[in-house]
DNA sequence: ATCTATGCAAAGCTTTTGCAATCGT
DNA sequence: ACGATTGCAAAAGCTTTGCATAGAT
């Protein structure tokens, strides 16, 4: 695989600039709206494509779904999860107590109800073929 | 709001039973496949509807997307997030160091690359109208 | 000149919803 | 009987993709 070279387009540049300006953690659609002020004809598809590229190279962070599907857990006891970055598999984490997180009741004015902690890694089965998994986790 | 009564249908019962049997954190579609062995004509919509009900009453846990949209963050420095359970807004959390999590390098055979910690709560703006937010977080 | 990136529209996927028929209670 | 629940199909939302054109190097 010959490494494809990346071009520096105004679209990509401006998307990154605008995302860095705000602290609202916008969705792709919201960012599209923002960027449109400077590039009225930019398409939503371009925003998605560039956000993916930027996340891949580590210039921005993608929040939320590690994947696009919701998963369900029949075990409602307190425990955390590990997700395999390679195959998407999710396992329970035992031996790490809830105490690792300080359980604050107030954070930045929020009244805290709960918290979720997820580890991301490479599962035993995928270790052999792990290649360039390091970024965009 | 008169509290609607919940009926005990075989569909709901079996969905819960099967989800409790597995530790694979299945998606709705996967669980649908599993449940079909016992209820061949059950529809995917029924699975979704019951998973929502069960999560609402706290019988199961819903993993992953707090919402259905991916959000992006231009700040790649180490920090965590708080999401408002009521309006979906996401803010940065400062003052809670990375150290709260023991940063294990190995968890259940996984090689850990990173972790995500998200708090869920009620933001200042939503506190007034918070009503029955306690469950299904 | 080459080949990546864009814009547009169409397609894909997961999840939700409308509706008439079912089935708990 | 009453009305919550189901199954089916259609709709909705977010995200991705195909393709011809534009544009960076």
């Amino acid at each position: 695989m010959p490494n494809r070279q990346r071009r520096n387009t105004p679209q990509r540049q401006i998307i990154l600039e605008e995302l860095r300006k705000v602290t609202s953690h916008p969705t792709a659609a919201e960012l599209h709206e923002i960027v449109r002020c400077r590039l009225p004809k930019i398409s939503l598809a371009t925003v998605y494509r560039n956000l993916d590229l930027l996340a891949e190279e580590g210039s921005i962070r993608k929040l939320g779904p590690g994947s696009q599907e919701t998963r369900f857990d029949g075990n409602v006891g307190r425990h955390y999860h590990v997700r395999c970055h390679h195959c998407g598999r999710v396992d329970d984490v035992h031996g790490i107590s809830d105490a690792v997180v300080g359980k604050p009741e107030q954070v930045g004015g929020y009244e805290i109800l709960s918290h979720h902690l997820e580890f991301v890694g490479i599962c035993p089965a995928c270790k052999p073929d792990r290649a360039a998994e390091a970024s965009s986790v």
Side-chain angles (χ1 to χ4, degrees), chain A:
Chain A
M1 45 179 169
N3 67 324
R4 329 197 319 174
Q5 76 179 50
R6 189 145 303 174
R7 287 179 185 172
N8 189 18
T9 63
Q11 285 89 339
R12 181 134 63 233
Q13 218 169 265
I14 291 178
I15 287 172
L16 181 55
E17 272 177 39
E18 293 299 324
L19 181 55
R20 284 188 168 151
K21 267 191 206 162
V22 300
T23 60
S24 59
H25 312 86
T27 62
E30 286 165 355
L31 191 55
H32 182 219
E33 270 316 303
I34 293 171
V35 168
R36 264 215 245 205
C37 296
R38 296 174 62 185
L39 295 171
K41 4 185 51 155
I42 192 175
S43 83
L44 181 54
T46 297
V47 174
Y48 272 107
R49 278 186 286 230
N50 280 304
L51 286 172
D52 273 349
L53 278 179
L54 292 167
E56 216 173 76
E57 72 184 27
S59 299
I60 66 171
R61 239 169 104 181
K62 211 172 187 170
L63 307 186
S67 78
Q68 39 291 319
E69 292 174 276
T70 303
R71 288 173 172 276
F72 297 87
D73 192 343
N75 174 4
V76 291
R78 282 253 167 92
H79 65 282
Y80 298 126
H81 296 106
V82 215
R83 179 168 48 81
C84 178
H85 183 242
H86 193 250
C87 68
R89 158 179 190 162
V90 176
D91 278 299
D92 291 334
V93 173
H94 301 107
I96 294 194
S97 105
D98 216 48
V100 292
V101 179
K103 278 191 248 167
E105 288 174 9
Q106 273 257 152
V107 166
Y110 280 66
E111 179 190 330
I112 301 303
L113 300 173
S114 68
H115 68 263
H116 303 305
L117 173 57
E118 181 193 65
F119 293 92
V120 181
I122 306 294
C123 78
C126 289
K127 263 180 199 164
D129 37 63
R130 85 183 281 265
E133 332 281 357
S135 44
S136 75
V137 184

